[in-house]
Structure formats: structure tokens, C-alpha cells
Amino acid sequence: MSQPLIAARNAPVRQLKTSAEARPELQVVTPPAVRRLRLPLPVACVVLLTLGLLGLLMTNIAIAGDAYRITDLQVQSQRLANQQQAAAESLAQQSSPEQLAQRAAQLGMVAAPDAVHLTGSGVVGEATPAPKPSASPAASQAQTPAR
Amino acid sequence: MSRRRPRPEATDPGRHPRPDMRMRVYTVGVLGGLGILGGRLVQLQGADANALAGRALKQRTSQTTLYAKRGDIVDDEGVVLATSVERRDVIADPKAVAGFNLRANGEPYKAGRGTGPAGAAALLAPILGIDEQTLTAKLTGDNHYAKVAVGITPELWQQVSDVGVAGITSVRQTQRIYPTGAASSTLVGILGTAETDDDGNVVDKPLSGLEYADQHLLQGRNGLMRYERSLGGQEIPLGNRETTEPVDGTSLHLTIDSDLQWKAQTAIAAKVVETGARSGTVVIMDKEQRLLALASAPSIDPANLTGMTNAQLQNTALTEAFEPGSTAKVVTLAAALEEGVDTADSRFTVPGELKRFDKTFHDSHPHGDEKLTLAGVLAQSSNIGTILAGEKLDPDLKKVSQILHGYQQKFGFGSRTTLEFPGETAGIVGDPAKYSGTQRYTVMFGQGISVNAVQAASVFATIANDGVRTEPTLISGTSDPNGNYRAEPAGESTRVVSAATAKTLRDMMQAVVSEEGTAAAAAIPGYLVAGKTGTAERYDSDLGRYSGYTASFIGMAPADDPELVVAVILQDPKTNYYGGSAAGPVFKEVMSYALVQRGVAPSTRPPADLPLTWGGDQDAEQEIATGAVGDTAGQ
């Protein structure tokens, strides 16, 4: 046995100055209830990661799907806009005074002669019969029943 | 005994005598490889990063111009006079079309469909309405560009696109359409063929009319969209995206009534042809001088601009200055009445000829001394009578010129209207201090000064409006792209003559349209009409001298409570140059249509019937009654 160890053994035990009697005895305290995971930690991590990734994937799929839907709807909207434009254009053309006059003439209509007014002081103006349509309109012929 | 499988080193210990040496070789090799990769990485990231990133971005970035829609031009009822529609030009890449529906081994992808240019043409020709042979020829070639069709509607392009021929693309165009055609082309204007500016954007080039005048309002501003896209054209979600929204143009709402405009234009165009006139103009305004029609003939069909001449683009109502002739006598007589030197029954003894300065003035027809009232002078359109009435304004002739000039200016002569119409003329009134001796007399009956048709009509509208002149207006309001309508402020009003003077003039002008006046052809049954004919010598700027005539009739109805003013002007008519008989019927046609169309009640009061002669002047009465009167403002 080496000298220092012997010296240590022989050294007097140091007495604590504080009263040993006042010191409470150490007791084993029960730790607060720890909820134990059923799954071990690594498995939980993997599951969480997988779920996260899956969520991300789903979100991305949804966004991408929306992008396709947006494109489709834009195409559809463009088609409808085109139709609307075509309809508006045709309406503008057909409602122009020139076209209306032409169509009216085709239907055998004529411009009205001078107006006759019925006023408080009697009839003003001279009633004149409407002129005959210049050309026999195709429309009225079409309406006559064919035998 | 089982021999342990020897380790390779053990079998050939001589090759790698030292294992640590081998380790070092590996390390150096790996480090070298990593170094090369790292170096390349530094090179890419450090040196070329921007260029490469830019190239990559460009590859997946698509840039689209978001076109602004040009503003519409509509009339007071919202009838479209000008609008923009989208059109497509179909462009083919013949090299790409060569492989249409064709596998590498020469088999078609889809059975039942032709292959190559012929196959594509067979599918596209019926849609485009082109002959299949012609289309095949267009689609065959070794180049990358062939124009297949121009200006097809977007609906049609959709059908073409649905066929799915690779190599067939389209270029967007806008086309301006004018549903009212030639009737309002000179007023609304023409948008020329689109041009490409420095940035490659398509810009419109207006040529005339309101399209030109209000280009800054109508034009709008194109937008831009940049986005990253996949191979199929879908936008990459969460990718870079940059959008500048386009701003559509502002729409113009005019005071014009498209029905009246059409009626006026067809009537004057027919008259121009009938009389062989150089041009014709009809102005319709209400008494607040809102312009209801500004028709001009000749005009051009905006849908077919081939053979267009400059004259066909001009709206003569504003761009043409002419000597008004007898219609300007109204201004002289208004001055005489307003200054209190004359009344409607002031008596004049009108000689057959009158020598003033160095010139002898005549009336349009020879006559002896006539005893006419002021109303008679106007009804008969006597130049000499007008001079006599005008001279009474002041003993000093120069002062007379000053006074008349003042009234002419107040009636709006000599200055542009606030319409800001391109090419508008202010007319020429000149400086009265510099008038020649003869001119001091001729301006009294409307020669030696010039006006445009709106100015001429404005005089009559002022008289219709009890002597208050409102600045003419053509644009009633604007609506921004969001549809917010903003009314334009009404024109400024100034009093020119008193209400009493205006009433007297209206009564006097009724006689013009009576059987005794110069324009019985302008009478409208049921309505009292007040108006004035004009048959002026026409100054031909090409010839530099007077040649031909300007025939005009300007009038208002109903004369007892005026609503509408119509001015009809024919420049240089060949077959009939009298204002009453050439322009009068057009006035009647247009005015009677306008009165009924706008629901104006017929006149209920009896005609004014002012005395036209005095002292029982049998000759003059006889002459007036037989209609042997003219209105030629001869010099």
C-alpha cells in the first residue's frame, strides 16, 4: 500500500461542526408523474417527419392542381370573352342606323311622309298616303303561302 | 485444413508496400475531384452566376403583353360609333407543319388524319374558309414563317387552335370597327393601321377626327405579365411573377345622335351627287349648341379605306371656311336692331343699284326702287337694303365696320370653337381697320369674311336661345375604364343680343320660308320655320379667285319656340346654286325628321306675318309674290 493512502486512512475524520441532529434525513421523493410515450422517440420522429412531408406534398399537389384549374378557367374565360365580343360586335353592326334602314327597306317599310299632328287647335299638317315601297321586298313574298 | 482466404495485399504485397501511401492516394484523388467540383461551383456561382441564372429564368419565364382596350366612342344614347375588337393573324411555321401527324417511321400518329402540310391543310381549310390547295401551298416550304390568314375572329382562331397543328400560331391584333360606317366617319375619325413602336408594342395611329383629337384619352396603357411557366404553359405555382395591369382607355360620350347623323349624312350625300357639288355639310344643334349631327359629304367607309383621299377624311363642318353670304346678313340686322337704329318695320327705299366707294352694288335680280321694310330686306335678301340698314349704325363708315366686327366676334366668328377638333378653321374676319373700302360694305352681306359651318349655325342658335350664345359642345362626357361617368362642363354662355332683338329676328326670318320669301322649299307643315338662305360667291383657294357658289340654308324650328337649328351648306353646286332651292329641301328633310324624332310639339301660334313692304309698293309685292327674288350676294 502506498504511503499517501495509509496517511489518508490514518487521518482523523473531520467532524462537521453543524449539529448532525438538526439535519433532516434524506428521503426518496417520488418524481412527478412522467407520461411515457407509447412509441419510442425515434419512431415518433420518423412518423412526424413523414406526416409533415406528406402534408407538404399534399399542399403542393393542391397548389399545382389549382394552377391547372386556373389555366383551364382562364381558357374558358377567354372563350366566353370571345363569344361576348362577337355578340357585341354583331349587335353594334346590326343596330347601326344604316343597317336598320336597309333591313327596314328589305321588309318593305318606307319612310313616313310629313307627320300630322293632333293639337288643341285641331289637326295640323296634311295627311298624305305613304309612298309605295320602291322594290317588291323579298320578305313579303316569302310570307305569302305557296300553293 | 481450411486455408484462410488471403487478403489481396497479402497476395501481392509488393504492389502497395505501404498502406498509408494508398490512403493518401485515395485522399488526394477524392480531394482533387472535390476541388474540381468546388472550383466549377465557384466558377458558376461566382463568375457566371448572373448570366446563367438569367438564362435559366428566361427559359421558363413567359412574358405577355396585357393589352389595354381602346376607349369606345358612343353617341348620346350609347349607340356605338367606334369600338375595338380583337382579331388574329394566323402564322404558320412550314418546317414544323411538315411533321404534322407523322411519326419518325413515317406512320401517322392518328389514323384517319392526313399527314404533313396536306393533312394539316385538309383540317384547317374548311375552318379558315381558304381553298385547300392554296393552303397546302402556303404550309409547304423550308422556311419558318408564312402568313396563313389575316384578321380572323378570336372564335375562329379558337377552332383553328383546337385542331392542334404544331407550328400554327397566331398574332393578336386589334381592329377598330365603326358600326355607323360612312355616316360618321369624318366626325369620329379613322384609326390607321397599327404600327410597332421601339419596344415592340403595337400602337394605334389615329388619322383624323375624334380618334386623333382625343388619342390621349382613348388610348389607355398596355400592361405586362411576366411569370414562370412549365413546358405545357401552366404557371409554376409560387414562381416569380410580376404583373403590371393594363389601363383601358377612356370612352367618349358625344352629344351626337347617331340617327340624326345618319339621316343628315345620307340626305346631304345624295344632294352633293345630285347637284354635282364639291362638298356638302349639315350641322344640327339644339339651341344650347349641343351638336346633334356634324355630317359631311363626301365621306369614306371606314371598313374600306382603299383609295382614300384627304378630302374624304375632313369634317367640312369644322375644317372648311367659306364666305357665308346672305346668312351673315342676320348678324348685320341683329346689330342694327340691337343698337336701336332699326326696327322690323323700318322703311327703306331700295334702289336697283347702289354706288358705294368704287363699286356699284346690285341685288340678285334687277329691280326699280322698292319700298321694303327691314323684314322685307331680309325676306328678299336684298344686298342694297342690308347696306342701307347697316350704314345707319354710325355716320362714320369705319365705326360701322368696328361695330359689325364686334357683333361678329360676339356671335363667334373669327375664333375657333372650344371643340378642339383637328383641322378646325377659325375662319377669317380680318381687322376692320384694314378693310378695303369695298370690303366695308361686302362684310355686311357676308362676303369678304369667312366662317365654318358650326360658326354659321351658331349665330342662328344664339338667336333661337333668346340672344344668349353657348359655346358649342360635342362631347357630353367621358367614362373611365371602371365605368365612372364624368359629365363635361357645359359650354360658357354669353349674351350677344337682347331677348327682344332675338325674337324680332325670329319673326323676320319666318318670312324667308313663307311663299313670299327665298326658301319656300324649306317650309315644314305644322311647324313655323325661321331661317335664311345664302348664295355666296365662292372663293376658290386653288384658283385664287372667286369661282362658283356656296349655297346654304340655315334655319330653326319651331320659330315660336325654337328647339333645333339645322345648317345645310353646299360648296360649288353645279346644277342649282341657289340656297333656297338647293339647300332648302335638304333642310326640310332633315329638320322634319329631327322634329318628329325628338318629339318636338308642332307650332300652335300663328305666323308672325310682319309687313314686308310699305306705302303700298305694288311692284315689290308683285315681285315678292311671284318669287322673283334671289339672295345672291354679288359683288
Side-chain angles (χ1 to χ4, degrees):
Chain A
M1 215 178 253
S2 60
Q3 281 301 313
L5 282 177
I6 293 165
R9 193 177 57 187
N10 293 343
V13 176
R14 214 175 357 156
Q15 290 297 317
L16 287 169
K17 290 269 161 68
T18 48
S19 59
E21 303 88 345
R23 195 177 169 212
E25 272 183 45
L26 288 174
Q27 286 180 340
V28 178
V29 281
T30 49
V34 175
R35 214 176 272 156
R36 292 196 56 84
L37 279 169
R38 296 243 173 87
L39 287 170
L41 187 65
V43 178
C45 286
V46 168
V47 167
L48 269 179
L49 209 63
T50 314
L51 281 178
L53 279 175
L54 209 64
L56 205 62
L57 183 68
M58 285 304 169
T59 315
N60 263 324
I61 287 173
I63 291 175
D66 281 351
Y68 280 91
R69 267 189 66 212
I70 288 170
T71 309
D72 288 350
L73 289 173
Q74 276 170 347
V75 168
Q76 196 188 345
S77 153
Q78 189 57 49
R79 281 180 190 231
L80 291 172
N82 289 344
Q83 276 180 24
Q84 194 265 345
Q85 185 200 288
E89 190 183 334
S90 148
L91 181 67
Q93 294 285 10
Q94 288 179 44
S95 61
S96 79
E98 196 179 355
Q99 288 289 325
L100 286 175
Q102 210 175 323
R103 288 277 295 135
Q106 278 172 8
L107 293 172
M109 296 171 83
V110 290
D114 290 339
V116 178
H117 306 273
L118 190 60
T119 65
S121 52
V123 175
V124 177
E126 217 173 279
T128 43
K132 286 259 184 293
S134 50
S136 60
S140 64
Q141 285 172 352
Q143 278 170 5
T144 45
R147 278 169 196 265
Chain B
M1 126 183 205
S2 67
R3 255 187 66 182
R4 201 184 280 178
R5 199 177 164 209
R7 295 165 75 151
E9 297 90 349
T11 55
D12 191 6
R15 229 161 96 190
H16 290 293
R18 292 171 60 190
D20 58 332
M21 190 62 192
R22 192 180 61 199
M23 196 63 197
R24 244 172 241 179
V25 169
Y26 280 170
T27 311
V28 167
V30 167
L31 280 181
L34 280 176
I36 290 168
L37 286 178
R40 178 69 177 144
L41 202 65
V42 168
Q43 188 203 355
L44 289 179
Q45 285 291 327
D48 304 338
N50 285 339
L52 287 172
R55 266 171 62 191
L57 193 64
K58 202 173 165 192
Q59 202 170 37
R60 62 178 193 271
T61 300
S62 175
Q63 180 172 321
T64 321
T65 305
L66 302 172
Y67 287 94
K69 187 177 184 299
R70 191 178 173 84
D72 291 347
I73 300 179
V74 301
D75 81 346
D76 66 336
E77 299 279 333
V79 174
V80 176
L81 303 178
T83 189
S84 289
V85 290
E86 189 184 324
R87 289 290 185 266
R88 297 278 177 167
D89 288 355
V90 180
I91 309 294
D93 177 350
K95 255 195 156 164
V97 175
F100 173 63
N101 199 24
L102 207 61
R103 283 179 201 270
N105 61 6
E107 292 288 310
Y109 277 101
K110 272 191 199 170
R113 268 186 168 193
T115 57
L123 291 168
L124 296 179
I127 301 172
L128 290 169
I130 314 177
D131 177 49
E132 204 178 311
Q133 303 283 316
T134 323
L135 188 58
T136 312
K138 273 184 182 170
L139 295 177
T140 315
D142 212 20
N143 54 348
H144 286 289
Y145 184 90
K147 206 167 229 184
V148 174
V150 177
I152 66 167
T153 63
E155 281 192 308
L156 205 58
W157 162 244
Q158 199 63 59
Q159 292 179 32
V160 172
S161 164
D162 287 347
V163 175
V165 179
I168 300 279
T169 53
S170 76
V171 178
R172 184 187 181 280
Q173 306 284 358
T174 47
Q175 194 184 332
R176 195 73 166 160
I177 59 164
Y178 301 93
T180 49
S184 45
S185 63
T186 57
L187 171 65
V188 171
I190 304 275
L191 201 64
T193 41
E195 289 186 351
T196 313
D197 70 2
D198 299 339
D199 299 334
N201 293 321
V202 177
V203 288
D204 302 315
K205 204 88 179 144
L207 297 180
S208 64
L210 293 170
E211 293 273 30
Y212 182 88
D214 292 304
Q215 161 78 351
H216 60 288
L217 279 177
L218 293 165
Q219 191 177 27
R221 206 170 56 242
N222 284 346
L224 187 73
M225 184 164 76
R226 253 191 224 111
Y227 60 94
E228 293 177 51
R229 58 165 197 171
S230 71
L231 203 60
Q234 279 85 21
E235 186 179 347
I236 297 174
L238 310 180
N240 271 334
R241 182 196 177 108
E242 185 187 327
T243 313
T244 315
E245 290 293 332
V247 182
D248 287 348
T250 302
S251 292
L252 295 182
H253 297 253
L254 307 186
T255 55
I256 297 293
D257 182 318
S258 61
D259 288 347
L260 284 183
Q261 175 80 23
W262 172 78
K263 181 74 188 171
Q265 213 280 334
T266 44
I268 194 68
K271 202 62 168 179
V272 164
V273 171
E274 184 195 318
T275 59
R278 197 175 287 226
S279 67
T281 306
V282 173
V283 177
I284 308 179
M285 52 168 73
D286 64 9
K287 61 179 176 178
E288 278 89 29
Q289 308 208 12
R290 278 186 287 268
L291 293 161
L292 304 177
L294 280 180
S296 167
S299 69
I300 190 160
D301 182 1
N304 180 15
L305 295 179
T306 45
M308 172 179 73
T309 63
N310 202 30
Q312 290 169 321
L313 291 181
Q314 302 291 325
N315 192 297
T316 49
L318 287 161
T319 61
E320 193 167 63
F322 59 94
E323 302 203 7
S326 307
T327 52
K329 286 174 185 161
V330 174
V331 176
T332 308
L333 298 196
L337 290 167
E338 183 72 6
E339 297 293 321
V341 298
D342 281 316
T343 59
D345 44 16
S346 292
R347 298 173 170 191
F348 294 92
T349 305
V350 181
E353 56 177 54
L354 186 70
K355 186 149 174 35
R356 285 289 186 273
F357 196 61
D358 58 353
K359 189 170 165 71
T360 308
F361 291 96
H362 296 273
D363 279 336
S364 61
H365 60 290
H367 60 79
D369 281 4
E370 282 178 343
K371 291 175 176 176
L372 297 176
T373 62
L374 193 66
V377 166
L378 191 68
Q380 216 188 17
S381 198
S382 164
N383 296 335
I384 294 168
T386 309
I387 291 174
L388 293 175
E391 279 178 334
K392 285 166 78 177
L393 282 166
D394 199 280
D396 182 2
L397 187 64
K398 285 191 175 168
K399 283 238 178 85
V400 172
S401 298
Q402 290 286 359
I403 294 169
L404 276 182
H405 185 254
Y407 276 95
Q408 285 163 355
Q409 279 189 319
K410 280 206 271 182
F411 272 114
F413 288 4
S415 51
R416 279 196 191 92
T417 62
T418 51
L419 299 176
E420 288 173 15
F421 197 82
E424 184 189 347
T425 172
I428 304 162
V429 180
D431 181 359
K434 291 179 186 158
Y435 280 171
S436 72
T438 317
Q439 199 181 4
R440 292 190 190 283
Y441 293 101
T442 59
V443 291
M444 294 182 193
F445 51 80
Q447 298 266 203
I449 55 168
S450 67
V451 298
N452 67 39
V454 172
Q455 286 173 338
S458 172
V459 173
F460 288 75
T462 304
I463 291 161
N465 197 28
D466 283 334
V468 176
R469 179 175 191 270
T470 313
E471 193 60 43
T473 44
L474 178 58
I475 293 168
S476 60
T478 53
S479 59
D480 69 15
N482 300 327
N484 299 320
Y485 178 78
R486 201 169 64 86
E488 288 282 308
E492 259 179 54
S493 293
T494 45
R495 178 163 288 284
V496 181
V497 291
S498 69
T501 301
K503 165 118 187 23
T504 309
L505 281 167
R506 291 201 297 267
D507 289 349
M508 282 163 64
M509 283 195 284
Q510 282 186 34
V512 175
V513 190
S514 66
E515 284 301 317
E516 296 87 38
T518 51
I524 299 167
Y527 294 92
L528 293 175
V529 174
K532 183 72 195 82
T533 53
T535 309
E537 291 189 351
R538 180 176 182 277
Y539 185 80
D540 193 320
S541 52
D542 298 337
L543 300 175
R545 60 179 169 82
Y546 284 92
S547 162
Y549 294 89
T550 299
S552 59
F553 185 88
I554 311 178
M556 64 189 83
D560 48 341
D561 183 15
E563 295 271 353
L564 297 171
V565 173
V566 173
V568 179
I569 290 130
L570 282 164
Q571 297 291 352
D572 200 10
K574 299 290 191 297
T575 57
N576 176 1
Y577 58 80
Y578 284 105
S581 48
V586 179
F587 171 87
K588 186 198 167 181
E589 185 184 351
V590 173
M591 182 62 107
S592 48
Y593 176 82
L595 288 169
V596 172
Q597 190 245 16
R598 298 188 85 78
V600 177
S603 301
T604 47
R605 274 165 241 177
D609 270 338
L610 294 176
L612 305 181
T613 57
W614 58 278
D617 187 340
Q618 296 297 327
D619 287 354
E621 267 178 26
Q622 182 66 32
E623 216 163 51
I624 291 172
T626 53
V629 286
D631 50 340
T632 309
Q635 286 197 68

